[in-house]
Amino acid sequence: MKRLVFLWNIIFGLIVAYQLYDSAIRYSGRKEIQKNIASVDVDIKKAIEQKNKIIQNTNDLTNEDKFERYVRDNLNFKKKGEVAYKY
C-alpha cells in the first residue's frame, strides 16, 4: 500500500512539475508576442502618418496653383513660349 501511495505522489509531482514548466514556457512566449505587437503598432503608426502625408499631397495637387508649382519645380514643365532655367 505504501508503494502505491509513493507511486501516486511521484506521478502527481511529475504532473505538477510539467504544468509549471508549461506555464513558464507559455509566459515567456507571451512576452515575445507582446514585443512583436508593440513593434507592429509602431509600424502601423508610421504607415498612418505616411498615408496622411500622401493624402495631404494629393489634396495639394488638386489645387491648380499648387499643382502648377509642383509640375514646374519637380518635373521641369514649362508653359508654351516660356524659357526655363536650371540652377
Side-chain angles (χ1 to χ4, degrees), residues 12-50:
F12 180 74
L14 289 173
I15 291 172
V16 169
Y18 174 75
Q19 290 295 326
L20 289 174
Y21 172 76
D22 189 48
S23 296
I25 294 298
R26 287 181 186 211
Y27 182 73
S28 66
R30 181 176 292 168
K31 282 186 174 182
E32 185 177 331
I33 289 171
Q34 288 173 343
K35 288 179 187 177
N36 290 342
I37 289 172
S39 172
V40 169
D41 285 341
V42 170
D43 291 343
I44 289 172
K45 287 179 184 178
K46 287 180 183 178
I48 289 172
E49 289 174 4
Q50 186 178 14

Side-chain angles (χ1 to χ4, degrees), residues 21-79:
Y21 172 76
D22 189 48
S23 296
I25 294 298
R26 287 181 186 211
Y27 182 73
S28 66
R30 181 176 292 168
K31 282 186 174 182
E32 185 177 331
I33 289 171
Q34 288 173 343
K35 288 179 187 177
N36 290 342
I37 289 172
S39 172
V40 169
D41 285 341
V42 170
D43 291 343
I44 289 172
K45 287 179 184 178
K46 287 180 183 178
I48 289 172
E49 289 174 4
Q50 186 178 14
K51 174 188 161 199
N52 290 337
K53 185 177 178 181
I54 290 171
I55 289 172
Q56 182 62 39
N57 288 341
T58 303
N59 291 339
D60 287 347
L61 292 178
T62 57
N63 184 346
E64 191 172 322
D65 295 331
K66 290 182 181 180
F67 177 73
E68 183 178 334
R69 174 59 48 199
Y70 177 81
V71 170
R72 286 174 179 255
D73 292 343
N74 296 322
L75 302 176
N76 298 321
F77 276 43
K78 61 181 181 176
K79 289 184 178 180

